[in-house]
Amino acid sequence: MRAGLRALTSRGRSFLASGIAALLMAFFLGESDLFRIGVLITALPLLAAMVVARTRYRLSCARRLDPPRAEVGGEATVTLRLENVTRLPTGLLLIEDTVPYALGVRPRFVLDRVEPRGVREIDYRVRSDLRGRYTIGPLSIRIADPFGLVELTRSFTISDTLVVTPHVAALPHVRLSGEWSGGGESRTRSVAAAGDDDVAPREYRQGDDLRRVHWRSTARRGELMVRREEQQWQSRGALLLDTRRHAHRGEGPRSSFEVAVSAAASIGVHLAHEGLGLRLVTDQGPEHLTDSGLSYSLLDTLAVIRHSPARSLEMGVSALRQGGGDGLIVAVLGALEPEEARELARLRHSSITGVAVLLDVGTWDGGAPGSADDHQAVQAVLAGYGWRIVNLPAGASIASVWQHAANRGRYVLNAAGGPA
């Protein structure tokens, strides 16, 4: 009953106050008709509170996100499934799901009646222009009486996560080096018959060619063992993303930082689909990516990446140097000093292909004095060490300039500071 009284709406409180006032006036004036009216008006919210408080609905809730990952600006559909697991029909239900403000307004629905064992499914859409990991839920249900005098709120505990990933642009295929082909014929490599085959044979499986039986191991183990004629081999590379706050310009979805994150996502997904084993490095050091579902892991990491307070790329360069085994380094960079560019450029040598995606941050702040000269100086330093330069000004997409990653040798600059 206490819960029911606390759940009185403004209308219910007004009825209760009016009823009590009518009873007091009837007592002082001796009006029996007014007394009966006061009893009716007072009893109505009290009875509604008692009925709602004693309601014992048992509802189950499930939520489905389609898709669980959505690009910036894309939509996802949220499906709520409510089931009445009791033998009693429900009354009026007011349903509200908890949604972060970045995904839009909170969705509200009204269910008039759910029959015993009945199921209702409700769909709504969410959309975000900001990257991130957003928690949707828990769902709350308000049980109300038909007169709107009492509303009692009950909540579920279940919640789900929607990942809003950076925009991924489809990139044209670019041959980055003669030694790295990004998959295809380089995905598998034959192993010498007397090499690793003899060292680590495996158990016979249904369908294996009997000509691959390794008799020496079979005699030793007492069960059929076969040679592993092929083992998986994958080229490896590194993706460096400059997240330093002072290296970027602008705010919001169109800032140079968001463009850099989108470019890194596009390049990473493109290279992963072409068979490259990739690791992600920022100016803060290496980021952990799972080996399975590399594209999803990369996008999940980039969805929540934020500005860093670092002033230099020293930790990122050190992480690249310590990783080793990379045949390709792609660096997505903001504003750099020539000396910082020189430290990064020294990572490239004859067996490594280096691609620098340089954001022309001066075009984001209206062309600050000296920004064009600094940009050209950085390009000259990187090109001097054999890096391939991809210039990315404001308003351009990474897909429109990615073909410049195929250009080898020193980079020629035109009068505007871009590729000639």
Side-chain angles (χ1 to χ4, degrees):
M1 190 64 185
R2 290 179 181 177
L5 291 176
R6 286 195 298 266
L8 285 173
T9 63
S10 298
R11 182 184 299 177
R13 294 189 183 94
S14 298
F15 265 66
L16 187 61
S18 299
I20 294 175
L23 291 175
L24 291 176
M25 293 298 295
F27 177 77
F28 286 112
L29 298 178
E31 292 287 342
S32 58
D33 292 339
L34 183 60
F35 180 79
R36 285 190 288 270
I37 293 174
V39 170
L40 176 63
I41 296 177
T42 303
L44 192 59
L46 294 178
L47 289 174
M50 182 176 64
V51 171
V52 171
R54 291 176 63 86
T55 300
R56 291 295 181 265
Y57 299 145
R58 291 178 58 197
L59 302 173
S60 66
C61 171
R63 184 186 295 101
R64 183 175 69 251
L65 302 180
D66 184 27
R69 293 178 181 85
E71 275 194 12
V72 167
E75 288 188 341
T77 301
V78 182
T79 301
L80 297 172
R81 187 179 188 275
L82 287 172
E83 181 179 1
N84 181 12
V85 298
T86 63
R87 297 180 179 179
L88 298 175
T90 69
L92 185 66
L93 301 178
L94 307 176
I95 299 173
E96 180 179 9
D97 208 4
T98 303
V99 172
Y101 73 93
L103 298 182
V105 297
R106 287 189 173 187
R108 296 180 175 88
F109 307 94
V110 178
L111 292 182
D112 187 19
R113 181 181 182 273
V114 180
E115 65 276 7
R117 308 296 181 182
V119 176
R120 295 289 187 274
E121 285 195 355
I122 303 170
D123 295 338
Y124 66 91
R125 294 180 176 273
V126 292
R127 179 181 182 275
S128 177
D129 292 326
L130 300 174
R131 295 177 294 107
R133 190 186 302 270
Y134 299 100
T135 300
I136 299 179
L139 181 73
S140 62
I141 294 180
R142 288 184 291 173
I143 304 171
D145 69 291
F147 302 103
L149 302 177
V150 179
E151 286 183 0
L152 188 63
T153 302
R154 295 174 179 173
S155 297
F156 294 91
T157 58
I158 184 173
S159 62
D160 294 271
T161 301
L162 174 67
V163 180
V164 179
T165 62
H167 172 68
V168 176
L171 303 183
H173 174 72
V174 173
R175 189 174 180 83
L176 297 177
S177 76
E179 299 175 357
W180 180 82
S181 58
E185 70 278 1
S186 67
R187 287 186 178 178
T188 58
R189 160 184 300 179
S190 295
V191 181
D196 290 347
D197 287 343
D198 294 339
V199 175
R202 61 169 176 82
E203 295 84 0
Y204 174 83
R205 298 171 187 166
Q206 185 69 28
D208 283 340
D209 190 346
L210 291 178
R211 290 175 297 180
R212 294 171 55 193
V213 173
H214 190 268
W215 298 109
R216 185 184 304 170
S217 297
T218 298
R220 185 169 57 250
R221 296 284 298 273
E223 58 179 327
L224 279 179
M225 305 290 289
V226 296
R227 294 189 302 270
R228 294 189 295 181
E229 293 182 353
E230 290 184 342
Q231 68 180 24
Q232 294 297 316
W233 175 83
Q234 191 178 41
S235 300
R236 297 196 58 81
L239 177 62
L240 171 66
L241 175 61
D242 185 0
T243 66
R244 298 172 300 161
R245 181 179 295 276
H246 85 278
H248 292 280
R249 304 291 184 272
E251 298 292 338
R254 297 185 179 180
S255 65
S256 65
F257 177 67
E258 292 300 323
V259 172
V261 173
S262 177
S266 302
I267 295 169
V269 170
H270 174 74
L271 296 179
H273 286 173
E274 293 205 345
L276 182 73
L278 195 67
R279 62 191 182 103
L280 177 64
V281 176
T282 70
D283 49 275
Q284 297 290 291
E287 298 284 342
H288 175 69
L289 299 180
T290 58
D291 292 333
S292 58
L294 180 60
S295 296
Y296 289 141
S297 179
L298 174 67
L299 291 176
D300 288 349
T301 302
L302 292 177
V304 296
I305 205 160
R306 295 293 181 261
H307 282 293
S308 77
R311 302 295 298 180
S312 74
L313 288 174
E314 181 179 354
M315 293 180 64
V317 172
S318 177
L320 289 175
R321 184 179 294 112
Q322 292 174 2
D326 298 320
L328 173 70
I329 298 177
V330 180
V332 182
L333 305 167
L336 284 179
E337 296 292 335
E339 186 56 37
E340 293 175 326
R342 190 170 292 106
E343 289 297 321
L344 174 64
R346 289 171 180 160
L347 293 177
R348 202 207 74 82
H349 52 76
S350 58
S351 63
I352 295 179
T353 299
V355 179
V357 179
L358 293 177
L359 276 76
D360 191 354
V361 295
T363 59
W364 267 269
D365 58 11
S371 59
D373 294 339
D374 293 342
H375 188 68
Q376 289 187 16
V378 169
Q379 291 187 66
V381 170
L382 291 170
Y385 281 83
W387 284 67
R388 305 178 185 188
I389 309 299
V390 177
N391 192 44
L392 184 57
S397 68
I398 183 62
S400 65
V401 298
W402 179 243
Q403 68 271 14
H404 295 306
N407 295 339
R408 304 186 182 190
R410 295 187 62 84
Y411 218 60
V412 182
L413 305 179
N414 60 23

